[in-house]
Each structure stands twice: as structure tokens, then as C-alpha cells.
Amino acid sequence: MDDNKMNSDNNKSDVKDKGESKYTNRLADEASPYLQQHAHNPVDWYPWGEEAIEKARREGKPIFLSIGYSTCHWCHVMERETFEKEEFAPYFNDNFVCIKVDREEMPDLDHIYMNYTQQLTGQGGWPNNVFLTPELKPFYAATYIPPYMKFYSPGIVEVLNGVSDLYHNKKDSVLNITESITERINATEKKMREEKGILGEENIHELKDNLTERFDKKYGGFGLRPKFPTPQNLIFLLDYHRIFEADGKGIITGEKSKPDRKNVSALKIVEKTIESIYRGGIYDHVGGGISRYSVDEFWMVPHFEKMLYDNALFLEVLSSLYMEDSQPQYIGMFYKTVSYIKDRLMDPDGLFYSAEDADSEGEEGKFYVFTEEEIDEILKDKSPAFKKAFMVKPSGNFEGKNILNLINSEISVENEEEQKFSEELNALYEERIKRIRPHRDEKILFSWNSMAVRSLALSYNMVKDEELLQMAVNAMDLLMDKMYKDGEITASMKDGKPGKKGTLDDYAYGAYALLTLYEVTTDYTYLLKAMEITQKTINHFWDKEHGGFHIAPKERKDLIMNPVDGYDSAVPSGNGIMGEVLYLLSLYTHDVSYREYFDKLMERFSSPMEKVPEAYPTLMDAFMKYSFENSVAVITGPDFKSMMLKLKEKKHELNLPRHIQFIENGSPLLTTLEFFSESPEDADDGCIVLYQCAGGTCSLPLSLGSLEPEDECTEDI
């Protein structure tokens, strides 16, 4: 059910009209909803850019850099308590040049300064408040800062006065701090560049073993609390299951693999985690979709924020899981999550908004929870059975109210018994949408939209739903039309207004989504566009000296460093995704240069992947598939459907790899891929021809014959 129109007034940012505001700063002209939220603070905010940096240098002031995002709970708290208060504004404005950054618009900048914050404080989070010299070097950092001293933590005035005194009166100390932290970070990166490991099959098994050791056998997921879904771990495990557990073959060593060495199969880890997420409160049983994380180990109490990237990657996991284990419950979870994305995160054109806040009416989770009395009133005589199934208590389980869950319920998820309560859940949904909704960040992010495109396209292999495939095609077309201009990607867009330039994640996820659409539709234009974007990525991000991709374009001049990082954070890393892209392009273009870039990418990260493989599941996943699924069957013929029919006839006779590339007669790919010059002399437009390709070389063509009995085609099979 689409409640966009009904709740349109509830989705506006908490930004007053300029004419009604006492203060208006330079953020008022920015596209980002997060920056707009601070446009009328008495703090004299600047957006990141040369104007603010030059002002700091000219006036000899340190920079107060505050990084957050519009659905960040503690960002809201700090704004209400501090940035909106006139009493604190002079301490900011008189002593600092204040810069606000939306981390979702500028993930490269956030990455760099979050690294510094973690080095300086031992922890990280948002808002990320960093004090910089005019040369952009950090010398003090903190996350949330209370307005007044609290539990021996200094308040904002103490922090601002102390930092100002440190900068102006203890320059040597400032210099020592900046040099020490910078040297530490540079030394770590240098060590990674110079140390080389030798990756092999054993490293892949080690990552699986490490994940198994961290696996919570009782509640699923990894570690204790807070507990994140970590879809990149689940995707790796599903691929591991397909390659090792399902087939039981090791190709690098030539020996039979030992997938049961930790006594828990990769597939079981994923199944248990997905069932536990579904049973918990992190999954929204009323409206679909998942929240960012659970504050406990049971998946019970979520941080109610809902992000596009979490839900897009959740769809990918569900699609891939269903392909390995066809349980109907996965389709139910899949469609309910799609319904949430369509209802709440899809714009009128078909692109996808970024996120929904955890808070509404100033309270976290208020929109999502119910009292027992509310449920009784809504469900009437159906209430007792529903309350028993969904663990509703008179005293509640969250601040006197109830988060619906099935954690200790007798309901069998495997048998889809919860479907008996679909009418009751719909009734609660209809009542819930009458409430004031949490703020929605209506910024369009190229990278996150590309994740959604890939997941929706992948789902076609699961459910063959043309509507979902069309959603993916439409969104990709819009991204390329509106946010890819003159060979450059725009990272964000709001109300048609472009934001910042794209970073590695935008290019990597864009190419990955295009390749997924090519695999699903066989439309060669997606492959050609993926090749084009990949070349742009190589041109602007590739480290020619050491290999790997920088997080920002090499042309950027406003960064104190531009690292090459491959570890996964909340989302798979740009370098990890580029590993997947280069791997697929090596298969589908049969161009060995992509293999060469892939090898250099793996060499760059070989040492940390050996030492801490659990930090690099996406890169390891790409390495695993590159090593074990490095062949493709190329089938050419009159049209896609005809070739599929012929392939179905021959499926028992052919030993085909996982990847199959269908190329219709007349496709431009026939003239761009060199090995097609080896076509059989007696083949004509009605013939279907098979090539077995691996490592950039292909077998001599074999004819599968024709669909028409009267046609003359040589039968080589």
C-alpha cells in the first residue's frame, strides 16, 4: 500500500522557511537535507569548500568540522541541545570556521576524518566532530558532545574553549598531534602497500572458519551486541556454500575441500541468521524492511533508522539464499521488504530515497511501537491470539510499549504460520500510517540506488517477476540520464539539484548494477556502459604505482590524503565491488587486461586479507569466484528465447559452467570480441553455437544445431 501521498506533510525536514527564521547561513543553498536541517542554526555554518578553507587560513582560525547525516539520532540530539542554542553560537562563530558535511554526500571525506577520530579517541560514530588546522590536519576529535558537563565529560563550552586555547597558545602540541596521527596512518598504509601475501584456497576457508567462530549459534549473526545484519558476510557465505559445500571441489589445490571443518555449514549460518532477523524486532513485521542494527544480541530492539543500503543488500541476500534453499518464507520476506521500499523510499519517477529516521515527534521508535491497549482496540476479538504469537506484553518490551517480534513465539516461520495473521498485521499497518512518520531523507544517492538496482535485477532469477525487473531497468535508466553527465557521476541529487561529484563507491556500484542487468536481460548496452564506467574508474581512481583504487578521484585537491582502502564497513568497500566488476568483465569481454587489473588489486590487499580476512569479505568473495568460477559458456544464435529453448533440450548433454553469456546474431559484441572470427563456416543465422571460455581464451565453436528441422546446421555435440 502506497502511503506517500497521505503522509507527504510528515516527510519534510525540520527546516523553517527563510522568511520565518531569525538566522540563515550558507547551508540554505545546499541540496543535502542534512545541511538544510542546519541552515537556520545561529552557528555560522559553511559547506565544505574553498570559501571556508580560505577563510580559516586568512583569519588564522581552526576549523570545526561536523560530519553527520539527516537520519542520525545523535546528530539530531546535538543540534537541538547545542547548534540551535543562541547561548553557544558565539563560542563557535568567534573562534572557529564551522563546516557541516553530509557523510552520505561525501563518503570520502567522512572516511578520512573518521579514521582520524578513531586514531585520536579509539572509537567512532556520528556526529563526527573534528577540529582541524587551516591546513586541514586534525588535532582534536569527538563524537557527541553534551551541552553541559555530564558524568565527567566536558560540555561544549569547555571543549570549544579548550580547543581554542590549545590551537592558539600551544602550537607545538598541535603540531605534534597532527604529525603523530598522520604518520601513524601513513605508516599503516605504507605497510599495506609494501607487504605482499600469497592468496590461495586456504585463505578462503580461513575466512569461513573465522565467521563460524564468531557465529551466534543461538540467535544468529556475528558477535554479541550491538548486532548488525552484515550482508557482505552472508553473501560471502552463500557463495562459499555454492562453490565448496554444494560441489565439494577445490580447484586451486586440486583436492577435495573440507567445508565441514567447523561443523557448521555456511548455508546453515545464513539460514539461522535470516530466520533470527525475521523473528526479531529489527525486521518490521507490520510494514516490512529492516532497521540498521539491533542494540541487543537477540535482534529484539532495533535502532529504528531504516536505510536504503541495508534493505537493498538484504534483498540480495534473500534472493541468493532462495536460489540455494527454496524456502517460501524467503519470498515472503523479500516481497514485504520490496513493498516497504516501494511505499516509503521510491520517488515518483522510480528512483530511491536514502533513509527514514529513527525518531518521530522527538522520540525514537514512536512510530513503530504499540501499547497492548492499542492492539486490543484495533484487533478486537482477534487480539488475544495475535498478542500471544507476537509476544505482546501488558508492560511492553520497549519503554512501556511493544516491538512486535517472534523471538520466543511458538509460531513456525519455516511453515509460514505467521501468514495466518496477515489481516491483523494489515489492520495495524492502516492505523500506523495515520501517525506522524519519521523524517525521510529524500536525497538520491547514486551508489545506494545502484545497490537497489542490482538487488531487484537479481531477484528476477528468483521469482521471474517482470515488474521488479522493470523497476530495476527504469531506475538504472534514470540514474544514467540524470546523474551521469560527460563521463562523470554525480554522487547525490535532491529535487533535481545535483550534489557533489562521485566517489569510488558510485562508479563501482554503478558498474556492478549494469553488469547484473546485462546478466539478467542479455542487453549488450549494459555491458558496454559497464565497460565505459570501469574505464573511467581506472582513469580517475587507479593507483598506477601500487595498484588498487583511491576512495576519491586523484584530481581532488581538498583532501589531506586519498587512501586506497578495501575493508568493508556498513557497506561492501568500493575496492571489493571493483574486484567483482573486474572479475565479471574478464568473463564477459574475454579481455585479459581486466584479469591483469584484478591480479594487481588482489596483490595490493593480499597482506591484510591474509592477516584479517574477516575485514575483507567482499574482496575475498571476488577472489573466490575469480579462482573457482572463472569460465563462461558463450552461446550465439538467432534470439535469446530460442537459445534458451535449445539449451534446455541439451542440458543433460552439456557440462556448462555457472556463467552463461547469450549473444544474439547481429549484436555488436560479435564484432568486438576477437574469438568470434573462429565461427563455423557452415553456421548461418539460424544456428546456435557454443564456445567454452576461460582465462581470456575460448574453445573452438560447437554447433548446437537449429530449432527448425529443415535448417542445415552441423551437430557437433
Side-chain angles (χ1 to χ4, degrees):
M1 181 177 299
D2 189 346
D3 55 318
N4 281 341
K5 186 174 180 181
M6 181 183 298
N7 290 281
S8 60
D9 290 340
N10 299 334
N11 298 321
K12 297 177 181 178
S13 303
D14 299 326
V15 177
K16 298 177 182 177
D17 181 78
K18 291 182 182 181
E20 301 174 358
S21 302
K22 184 175 180 180
Y23 301 97
T24 299
N25 56 53
R26 292 161 185 81
L27 302 184
D29 297 323
E30 293 295 305
S32 160
Y34 177 62
L35 300 189
Q36 284 283 320
Q37 286 172 352
H38 293 78
H40 302 291
N41 294 165
V43 176
D44 188 19
W45 294 113
Y46 284 75
W48 181 269
E50 188 56 36
E51 182 183 4
I53 296 169
E54 177 56 33
K55 176 182 173 65
R57 291 171 180 165
R58 185 176 64 251
E59 298 181 4
K61 289 181 177 180
I63 292 170
F64 172 63
L65 173 65
S66 184
I67 304 174
Y69 55 104
S70 77
T71 57
C72 163
H73 172 74
W74 287 103
C75 300
H76 298 328
V77 172
M78 193 163 175
E79 183 189 17
R80 288 195 301 267
E81 293 179 343
T82 303
F83 300 143
E84 289 183 349
K85 304 297 185 182
E86 290 182 325
E87 65 178 292
F88 300 128
Y91 295 94
F92 287 102
N93 299 337
D94 294 346
N95 300 305
F96 301 91
V97 174
C98 300
I99 299 177
K100 258 289 173 192
V101 166
D102 183 339
R103 67 175 290 255
E104 295 168 357
E105 270 198 323
M106 304 186 75
D108 47 1
L109 201 70
D110 175 63
H111 180 100
I112 291 167
Y113 287 112
M114 183 58 71
N115 195 359
Y116 272 99
T117 297
Q118 290 169 334
Q119 291 287 340
L120 283 162
T121 69
Q123 60 184 3
W126 295 276
N128 183 22
N129 298 304
V130 192
F131 294 86
L132 317 177
T133 68
E135 293 73 39
L136 308 181
K137 295 182 178 181
F139 61 96
Y140 186 86
T143 53
Y144 165 76
I145 304 171
Y148 307 104
M149 183 173 286
K150 187 175 183 181
F151 303 118
Y152 305 104
S153 295
I156 190 65
V157 173
E158 288 85 3
V159 169
L160 295 177
N161 285 340
V163 170
S164 180
D165 177 67
L166 177 65
Y167 177 76
H168 290 289
N169 300 319
K170 300 175 184 176
K171 285 290 181 66
D172 288 343
S173 295
V174 170
L175 183 61
N176 288 337
I177 293 169
T178 60
E179 288 185 352
S180 173
I181 298 298
T182 302
E183 286 176 7
R184 193 185 310 169
I185 292 173
N186 286 337
T188 301
E189 179 144 342
K190 182 182 179 184
K191 186 177 181 181
M192 187 179 69
R193 288 197 305 266
E194 294 177 349
E195 287 187 354
K196 304 301 178 187
I198 301 176
L199 293 176
E201 181 176 334
E202 185 60 29
N203 302 109
I204 298 168
H205 294 309
E206 184 181 359
L207 173 54
K208 190 269 177 181
D209 291 346
N210 291 354
L211 291 175
T212 302
E213 288 176 357
R214 293 178 54 222
F215 172 58
D216 182 343
K217 293 182 177 62
K218 186 173 183 180
Y219 295 110
F222 307 96
L224 296 176
R225 58 182 183 184
K227 190 173 277 184
F228 290 80
T230 57
Q232 54 268 46
N233 288 345
L234 304 180
I235 291 166
F236 166 82
L237 288 167
L238 286 168
D239 289 334
Y240 181 95
H241 166 75
R242 185 184 68 250
I243 292 171
F244 291 105
E245 295 176 346
D247 297 333
K249 295 179 181 178
I251 295 177
I252 295 179
T253 63
E255 300 175 357
K256 191 174 181 67
S257 303
K258 301 172 183 177
D260 60 343
R261 26 204 243 176
K262 292 293 181 182
N263 299 320
V264 181
S265 76
L267 182 61
K268 292 299 181 185
I269 292 174
V270 180
E271 289 174 331
K272 177 63 177 178
T273 299
I274 292 301
E275 179 179 342
S276 297
I277 287 173
Y278 181 77
R279 285 188 175 277
I282 190 174
Y283 179 81
D284 183 356
H285 292 271
V286 174
I290 59 171
S291 300
R292 277 196 69 217
Y293 62 86
S294 168
V295 302
D296 51 59
E297 63 266 38
F298 333 111
W299 307 101
M300 173 65 188
V301 178
H303 178 48
F304 290 89
E305 207 176 353
K306 286 185 177 179
M307 315 296 289
L308 173 61
Y309 67 78
D310 282 321
N311 285 279
L313 293 172
F314 188 54
L315 291 182
E316 179 174 348
V317 172
L318 290 171
S319 295
S320 300
L321 178 57
Y322 183 78
M323 297 301 290
E324 300 301 323
D325 182 14
S326 302
Q327 297 291 334
Q329 72 200 60
Y330 303 139
I331 291 182
M333 296 168 70
F334 178 90
Y335 269 109
K336 198 155 188 176
T337 302
V338 169
S339 178
Y340 164 71
I341 291 174
K342 288 172 65 176
D343 288 353
R344 293 300 305 152
L345 297 182
M346 192 162 75
D347 81 355
D349 293 330
L351 288 172
F352 304 101
Y353 299 133
S354 297
E356 275 197 302
D357 210 327
D359 301 4
S360 57
E361 301 180 78
E363 294 182 27
E364 182 173 6
K366 183 175 182 178
F367 176 77
Y368 296 100
V369 295
F370 294 89
T371 63
E372 182 186 40
E373 291 77 11
E374 287 173 324
I375 292 174
D376 288 339
E377 184 177 346
I378 295 166
L379 300 184
K380 303 294 192 279
D381 59 329
K382 295 181 178 180
S383 181
F386 181 86
K387 289 190 297 184
K388 180 180 179 182
F390 284 88
M391 311 305 294
V392 175
K393 302 176 181 178
S395 59
N397 52 37
F398 177 74
E399 299 179 359
K401 297 181 180 180
N402 287 278
I403 300 169
L404 301 183
N405 72 92
L406 300 168
I407 292 174
N408 294 311
S409 174
E410 296 177 359
I411 289 290
S412 170
V413 174
E414 185 175 348
N415 295 326
E416 294 192 288
E417 291 181 5
E418 73 276 13
Q419 295 301 316
K420 296 186 298 185
F421 298 98
S422 57
E423 289 185 10
E424 290 90 327
L425 290 169
N426 286 336
L428 293 176
Y429 176 86
E430 293 296 333
E431 287 299 315
R432 198 175 76 174
I433 62 175
K434 297 174 184 178
R435 300 173 177 176
I436 296 175
R437 291 211 68 126
H439 159 70
R440 179 172 62 192
D441 186 328
E442 297 186 352
K443 175 173 72 267
I444 306 296
L445 293 171
F446 192 96
S447 61
W448 296 5
N449 270 257
S450 296
M451 292 180 203
V453 167
R454 170 172 161 77
S455 294
L456 289 168
L458 274 179
S459 72
Y460 189 72
N461 295 327
M462 177 177 76
V463 291
K464 305 299 181 187
D465 189 326
E466 293 287 347
E467 180 185 355
L468 297 182
L469 180 58
Q470 188 53 49
M471 282 174 62
V473 168
N474 179 58
M476 194 76 245
D477 289 348
L478 288 168
L479 289 174
M480 299 308 292
D481 179 58
K482 296 184 176 185
M483 301 179 73
Y484 184 63
K485 304 287 186 183
D486 302 321
E488 284 192 349
I489 292 175
T490 300
S492 63
M493 179 177 67
K494 174 70 167 61
D495 297 330
K497 182 178 179 180
K500 310 298 182 183
K501 290 186 177 181
T503 64
L504 174 61
D505 285 3
D506 298 298
Y507 287 80
Y509 279 103
Y512 202 25
L514 287 162
L515 285 168
T516 305
L517 284 171
Y518 173 65
E519 290 179 313
V520 173
T521 67
T522 76
D523 184 341
Y524 69 88
T525 60
Y526 292 122
L527 176 60
L528 296 178
K529 189 60 69 174
M531 293 168 63
E532 177 185 317
I533 288 180
T534 299
Q535 189 57 52
K536 300 286 185 185
T537 312
I538 291 169
N539 293 345
H540 296 291
F541 296 87
W542 182 254
D543 184 340
K544 293 181 180 180
E545 185 176 359
H546 303 289
F549 295 91
H550 292 280
I551 63 171
K554 291 178 289 186
E555 299 81 11
R556 285 280 296 273
K557 303 299 182 185
D558 58 343
L559 302 176
I560 56 173
M561 59 176 55
N562 192 357
V564 176
D565 284 332
Y567 59 83
D568 290 346
S569 56
V571 298
S573 73
N575 271 286
I577 296 299
M578 283 307 300
E580 301 277 9
V581 168
L582 292 169
Y583 153 68
L584 290 173
L585 285 176
S586 73
L587 291 179
Y588 293 133
T589 68
H590 315 278
D591 185 340
V592 295
S593 68
Y594 292 117
R595 295 179 64 85
E596 293 169 354
Y597 277 110
F598 184 95
D599 290 340
K600 292 175 183 176
L601 179 67
M602 290 298 146
E603 183 182 9
R604 174 66 183 264
F605 294 106
S606 58
S607 178
M609 287 171 69
E610 274 190 328
K611 294 176 180 177
V612 281
E614 58 270 27
Y616 299 87
T618 304
L619 274 168
M620 194 68 81
D621 189 55
F623 172 71
M624 176 171 62
K625 289 186 286 191
Y626 175 84
S627 302
F628 292 91
E629 295 181 332
N630 54 13
S631 58
V632 59
V634 182
I635 300 178
T636 67
D639 64 73
F640 175 70
K641 290 183 179 179
S642 298
M643 290 187 282
M644 284 293 290
L645 288 171
K646 194 66 177 179
L647 184 64
K648 188 175 182 180
E649 290 177 9
K650 299 282 186 178
K651 68 179 181 179
H652 296 299
E653 304 172 47
L654 302 173
N655 182 24
L656 298 182
R658 176 170 179 258
H659 293 282
I660 300 174
Q661 184 177 19
F662 295 97
I663 303 179
E664 295 181 11
N665 293 339
S667 168
L669 296 182
L670 292 171
T671 60
T672 60
L673 304 180
E674 292 183 1
F675 69 87
F676 283 110
S677 61
E678 301 289 336
S679 299
E681 292 181 2
D682 56 348
D684 58 33
D685 287 347
C687 294
I688 299 173
V689 179
L690 166 69
Y691 303 80
Q692 293 274 22
C693 303
T697 60
C698 298
S699 67
L700 292 175
L702 299 172
S703 173
L704 299 186
S706 169
L707 289 170
E708 302 299 331
E710 64 272 15
D711 287 349
E712 294 185 0
C713 282
T714 302
E715 289 279 357
D716 291 322
I717 300 295

